[in-house]
Structures are given as structure tokens and as C-alpha cells.
């Protein structure tokens, strides 16, 4: 997953160095490799082509916003029902749906495969095992933490986050490619990052390129709210510009 080292490098101030390393890997390992007929590169974030893909000629890019290969991003509703039935867990279908379903990709409703498989593993040991938040342990929260910080500067972004945290959808612009240097400066880039990282899912796509997004399920909502609570605690002693401005203007 090429975006994991890039994410860590961005956090540690070594982004330019890592971009150079990955460019060389892609160019020499894929474009000029006579022993390779085809290859698949995976990652959550679609990094801008001029940053790491300059060594490749027009790779096919298939994201969760495209219908191609949609059913292979996770388990479909039918596959999940078959799996639960196989392990004698039909009575847990609603729990599983509420916690791990909710990703709309193409025409499919997709279940989080990592969480579902971990749930099956736990219920084989204890049929009454609760649905745990498995997903939170698979990803770092550094980027989301930065995004929450950007809400202090944007009333529009703050209102979008409030809608999402109330488990409702929000219509937003989405930037489908990430440029780390500017990704925190644009609400569209922030929404794109959240969408492709699995924090959000599409409920409707509009012709003008905007989308209606929402948090997909209880598992992600729990992760989101927990992080927001932590963030708010660290910010509780720092003056909030938006709040102070509203107070002065009498804006309840």
C-alpha cells in the first residue's frame, strides 16, 4: 500500500524523500520491467499522478467512486448472508449489518471484510460475542486529527462534520486526488481523503462532480466520535475563534 509510507513520511517531515523512492520503485519495477506482464498497486488514497506516477504511462485507476470491480472491495450482502449461514450465525445478521455494512460502491452494498472476518473468528469461540470495533486498529488517525483541526478555520467544514457525526449525509465537493502539501487547505480534498480512506461512503453522485456522503456504519461512527471526543478534550483550554466570534455577534 504505497500511501502508508507516504502518510508516515508526511507526518515525519520526510515526504519528498519518500516520493523519490516510490517513483523509482514504480518506474524500474513496473514500467521498464521486461519480466512483468501486468501488476496491481493498492492504496487507499489516490495520490496525484505528478507526485508518484510520473514513471508510469496512464495506469488504470479504480476507486470506490467507480463501478468497475465494485464487488471486490469487500463482501456483498449475498456473500455475507451465505457466510453467516455457514457458521450458524443467521440470528446475528442485524448486528453485523448495522456495524459492518453500509459501504455503497457501484450498485453493491459492501461489508467491511476485515471486520466481518474478525467477528466470525470471535463468534466461533463465543456465539454471543459482541460486535467489536475492529476497523479502528487497522488505520492511523494522524490525518483525521489534522482534518478536525482544520474545522477551526472553516465554518462550512465544521457544519459538514456535525452533520456526519449525527449520522446523516452531507452534500460536498470531492477532490479525487491527494496532494499532501495542500490537502488540508481544501474542504474538497479533506472529503476525498475521508471517502477513499473508508471513513465515508457515497449515497449519491451528482453530475457536477459533487457527492452526498455519510459515515457508513456504527463501527466507523464509533471510531469517528471517539477521536472527536479526544480532540475536543485537547482543545478545551484553547480559545476557539469561531465560538468567540459567534459570542460577540450574539449568534446562538
Amino acid at each position: 500500500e504505497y500511501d502508508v509510507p507516504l502518510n508516515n513520511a508526511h507526518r515525519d517531515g520526510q515526504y519528498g524523500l519518500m516520493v523519490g523512492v516510490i517513483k523509482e520503485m514504480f518506474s524500474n519495477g513496473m514500467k521498464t520491467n521486461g519480466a512483468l506482464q501486468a501488476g496491481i498497486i493498492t492504496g487507499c488514497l489516490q495520490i496525484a499522478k505528478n507526485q508518484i506516477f510520473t514513471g508510469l504511462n496512464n495506469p488504470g485507476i479504480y476507486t470506490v467512486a467507480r463501478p468497475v470491480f465494485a464487488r471486490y472491495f469487500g463482501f456483498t450482502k449475498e456473500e455475507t448472508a451465505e457466510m453467516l449461514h455457514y457458521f450458524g450465525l443467521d440470528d446475528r445478521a442485524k448486528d453485523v449489518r448495522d456495524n459492518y455494512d453500509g459501504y455503497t460502491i457501484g450498485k453493491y452494498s459492501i461489508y467491511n471484510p476485515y471486520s466481518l472476518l474478525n467477528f466470525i473468528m470471535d463468534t466461533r469461540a463465543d456465539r454471543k460475542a459482541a460486535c467489536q470495533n475492529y476497523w479502528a486498529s487497522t488505520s492511523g488517525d494522524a490525518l483525521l486529527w489534522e482534518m478536525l483541526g482544520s474545522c477551526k478555520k472553516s465554518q462550512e467544514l465544521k457544519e459538514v462534520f456535525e452533520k456526519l457525526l449525527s449520522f446523516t449525509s452531507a452534500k460536498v465537493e470531492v477532490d479525487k486526488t491527494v496532494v499532501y502539501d495542500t490537502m488540508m487547505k481544501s474542504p474538497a480534498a479533506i472529503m476525498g481523503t475521508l471517502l477513499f480512506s473508508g471513513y465515508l461512503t457515497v449515497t449519491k453522485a451528482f453530475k457536477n462532480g459533487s457527492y452526498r456522503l455519510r459515515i457508513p456504519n456504527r463501527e466507523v461512527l464509533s471510531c469517528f466520535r471517539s477521536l472527536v471526543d479526544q480532540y475536543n478534550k485537547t482543545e478545551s483550554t484553547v480559545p476557539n475563534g469561531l465560538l468567540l466570534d459567534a459570542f460577540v455577534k450574539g449568534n446562538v
Side-chain angles (χ1 to χ4, degrees):
E1 292 192 36
Y2 61 83
D3 55 343
V4 174
L6 286 171
N7 188 4
N8 291 335
H10 169 71
R11 180 192 63 201
D12 297 333
Q14 300 293 329
Y15 183 74
L17 174 64
M18 185 55 67
V19 165
V21 171
I22 291 183
K23 274 185 180 179
E24 291 300 316
M25 288 176 61
F26 285 177
S27 179
N28 292 290
M30 303 191 76
K31 182 179 178 181
T32 59
N33 185 350
L36 182 69
Q37 180 179 359
I40 298 175
I41 306 170
T42 64
C44 292
L45 302 180
Q46 183 182 327
I47 312 299
K49 288 184 180 181
N50 60 359
Q51 290 196 300
I52 61 172
F53 289 123
T54 52
L56 297 177
N57 289 335
N58 301 318
I61 298 174
Y62 306 98
T63 72
V64 294
R66 292 188 64 184
V68 187
F69 303 124
R71 63 176 297 177
Y72 302 111
F73 281 96
F75 291 114
T76 64
K77 179 172 61 176
E78 294 75 18
E79 289 167 339
T80 301
E82 182 180 353
M83 188 186 306
L84 292 176
H85 181 71
Y86 179 86
F87 288 105
L89 296 168
D90 297 273
D91 59 324
R92 302 300 304 274
K94 185 178 185 305
D95 278 348
V96 169
R97 182 176 64 252
D98 290 345
N99 283 279
Y100 309 131
D101 187 16
Y103 290 98
T104 303
I105 307 176
K107 64 179 181 179
Y108 297 95
S109 178
I110 297 292
Y111 286 69
N112 183 323
Y114 179 83
S115 298
L116 181 56
L117 290 175
N118 274 280
F119 171 77
I120 295 292
M121 184 76 72
D122 284 352
T123 51
R124 293 191 70 185
D126 177 7
R127 282 187 50 82
K128 296 183 179 180
C131 289
Q132 301 292 328
N133 187 345
Y134 304 105
W135 184 80
S137 64
T138 67
S139 62
D141 56 17
L143 279 179
L144 183 55
W145 193 274
E146 288 186 59
M147 291 172 187
L148 292 175
S150 66
C151 287
K152 292 191 295 184
K153 304 174 184 177
S154 170
Q155 180 65 27
E156 173 193 356
L157 196 56
K158 182 174 179 291
E159 291 174 357
V160 168
F161 269 84
E162 288 173 348
K163 282 185 179 180
L164 295 172
L165 285 166
S166 66
F167 218 18
T168 58
S169 64
K171 183 180 179 182
V172 297
E173 299 292 325
V174 173
D175 186 344
K176 296 180 182 178
T177 59
V178 171
V179 179
Y180 274 90
D181 294 341
T182 60
M183 67 185 300
M184 297 302 166
K185 298 179 181 179
S186 162
I190 289 175
M191 289 299 112
T193 300
L194 292 175
L195 171 63
F196 296 122
S197 298
Y199 285 100
L200 302 176
T201 190
V202 175
T203 61
K204 185 176 181 180
F206 297 92
K207 291 182 179 180
N208 64 356
S210 60
Y211 293 85
R212 185 165 290 282
L213 306 178
R214 63 172 172 79
I215 293 175
N217 51 46
R218 287 182 183 173
E219 181 183 41
V220 181
L221 180 64
S222 173
C223 174
F224 227 125
R225 286 180 171 171
S226 176
L227 189 62
V228 169
D229 285 342
Q230 294 175 39
Y231 181 84
N232 283 338
K233 287 177 182 176
T234 65
E235 291 290 308
S236 60
T237 59
V238 180
N240 184 303
L242 288 175
L243 187 63
L244 291 175
D245 184 60
F247 179 77
V248 170
K249 294 178 179 178
N251 182 349
V252 178

